[in-house]
Amino acid sequence: MTTDLDAFVSGLPKAELHLHIEGSLEPEMMFALAKRNKVDIPFNSVGEVRGAYQFSRLQDFLDIYYAGANVLRTERDFEDLAIAYFDRAAADNVAHAEIFFDPQTHTDRGIPFAVVADGLLSGMAQAEARHGLTSKLILCFLRHLDEDAAFATLRAADPWLDRIAAVGLDSSEVGNPPSKFARVYARAGEMGLLRVAHAGEEGPPAYVHEALDLLHIDRLDHGNRALEDSALTSRLARQAMTLTVCPLSNLKLCVVDDIAEHPIGRMLRLGLRATINSDDPAYFGGYVNDNYRALIPGDRLDANDFITLARNSFLGSFLSDADVAAQLALLDAYAAANGA
């Protein structure tokens, strides 16, 4: 029964690998921080904010996303933002999270890099102490800006690089191909950072090819449109490239017209290492368990599929092999205890 599968899926130990921390800014916190920091926002109520979350494309969302981020001003703000996300993730049985942050969103409006990084790192440490939830930080470059700006951000991050696991690439995809950032990604790799990139959400399969061949990514964020290229799909499966898929985001941004049409089941059947994530949960209508549960109706996925998705989330993480093995053992124990 769906209700039984709902409880099973909700209790699965899992990792989240595609979460923009600024995208977890709930309207209630937006208003609270606006008041605390005496910042004007273009909304009069929480209801008005939620009513604005009707998007027909990625850029519609980004316009509101960047306006909302303007309330984040102090180290405490970023710490509170992180803690709120991790509390919610722990309730969804997330054991490990790898979170994106967009320093340029903040430094370009005069907020020092240190304020952002130190606030988030403090929240991450508190999450581990409070919940045993481990986490890693991924610095994203804004692809609508130029590569020189990305290089400047990488230089600014230097004092924190021992606490940053990877670099990523997000913001407006169409017209900003991965090749635009090939040099800064090469430099990040030389510095020992892992590399991920958004590709194949709105952009074509060619962007996924570029992310693989020019950025030399370790993980692919989204990747839906890779399915349009059978050779590319086979390559991703052969290389066991992890895809961080975000179902409710895909629905909200009209990447799919109906959640029943979401390609996650097809991805699994094609042997892709797909995972389930929440992307920008405050804007897209749900955290990670909401994304898992959205895939239950229609009986397109069964308990074993959901176990595979959770298993993939640990296999695709940047945890050590020993930590991955430990998490998979807990996952297997949970599945066995629940008759799966």
Side-chain angles (χ1 to χ4, degrees):
M1 293 176 61
T2 299
T3 52
D4 295 332
L5 189 54
D6 186 296
F8 176 78
V9 165
S10 297
L12 275 171
K14 55 185 72 73
E16 179 151 41
L17 307 179
H18 188 143
L19 182 284
H20 299 270
I21 194 63
E22 293 92 346
S24 68
L25 178 64
E26 291 287 348
E28 292 82 0
M29 181 174 282
M30 186 189 299
F31 271 85
L33 295 184
K35 181 177 180 180
R36 184 160 87 190
N37 295 324
K38 298 180 174 57
V39 176
D40 290 330
I41 56 176
F43 303 104
N44 296 311
S45 68
V46 167
E48 188 176 322
V49 177
R50 294 197 187 281
Y53 293 174
Q54 301 299 320
F55 313 117
S56 62
R57 58 192 180 119
L58 179 61
Q59 192 60 50
D60 294 341
F61 152 67
L62 290 171
D63 292 341
I64 292 181
Y65 171 90
Y66 292 128
N70 191 44
V71 304
L72 297 162
R73 298 296 179 95
T74 69
E75 187 174 321
R76 180 186 170 197
D77 296 341
F78 289 96
E79 178 184 72
D80 288 349
L81 178 68
I83 290 170
Y85 162 70
F86 286 119
D87 285 349
R88 185 67 177 264
D92 280 356
N93 291 294
V94 172
H96 177 72
E98 298 181 0
I99 65 171
F100 300 124
F101 76 116
D102 291 336
Q104 290 159 292
T105 296
H106 313 297
T107 56
D108 283 1
R109 55 192 178 88
I111 308 300
F113 191 101
V115 167
V116 183
D118 289 346
L120 294 177
L121 289 164
S122 176
M124 293 162 68
Q126 291 184 56
E128 186 164 9
R130 184 182 303 182
H131 303 296
L133 195 166
T134 60
S135 58
K136 293 183 183 292
L137 196 55
I138 300 174
L139 182 162
C140 281
F141 304 122
L142 297 182
R143 68 200 306 157
H144 66 275
L145 301 178
D146 61 30
E147 192 180 42
D148 287 344
F151 269 114
T153 298
L154 188 59
R155 288 192 296 271
D158 188 70
W160 290 269
L161 290 185
D162 60 329
R163 287 154 288 174
I164 294 174
V167 296
L169 187 64
D170 62 11
S171 189
S172 311
E173 184 181 7
V174 174
N176 295 295
S179 54
K180 179 179 172 182
F181 296 90
R183 293 183 308 122
V184 74
Y185 264 69
R187 178 61 184 142
E190 291 167 1
M191 297 166 74
L193 292 164
L194 295 165
R195 290 163 284 185
V196 304
H198 287 49
E201 180 186 15
E202 286 191 333
Y207 282 19
V208 178
H209 280 287
E210 288 190 4
L212 294 169
D213 296 330
L214 302 179
L215 304 190
H216 303 290
I217 56 170
D218 298 287
R219 194 163 69 207
L220 174 62
D221 299 316
H222 290 299
N224 299 48
R225 293 195 62 191
L227 296 178
E228 298 171 17
D229 182 331
S230 60
L232 175 59
T233 302
S234 296
R235 176 185 177 185
L236 293 170
R238 186 171 62 252
Q239 294 181 351
M241 176 62 65
T242 298
L243 278 63
T244 63
V245 183
C246 306
L248 290 179
S249 167
N250 293 159
L251 180 65
K252 196 75 170 180
L253 296 181
C254 304
V255 176
V256 298
D257 295 327
D258 189 320
I259 200 68
E261 300 169 4
H262 197 277
I264 192 70
R266 183 182 170 204
M267 290 177 174
L268 293 179
R269 290 192 297 275
L270 289 169
L272 294 174
R273 185 184 280 178
T275 65
I276 297 297
N277 311 272
S278 63
D279 203 358
D280 298 273
Y283 295 87
F284 298 151
Y287 288 77
V288 69
N289 273 358
D290 299 307
N291 279 267
Y292 272 81
R293 285 193 293 262
L295 301 170
I296 293 175
D299 298 322
R300 292 174 298 124
L301 300 179
D302 60 21
N304 287 326
D305 293 321
F306 286 113
I307 292 169
T308 296
L309 289 165
R311 179 178 297 278
N312 288 347
S313 73
F314 292 118
L315 291 172
S317 75
F318 296 145
L319 288 167
S320 69
D321 289 346
D323 287 339
V324 169
Q327 293 293 352
L328 293 181
L330 293 173
L331 174 61
D332 289 341
Y334 174 84
N338 286 275

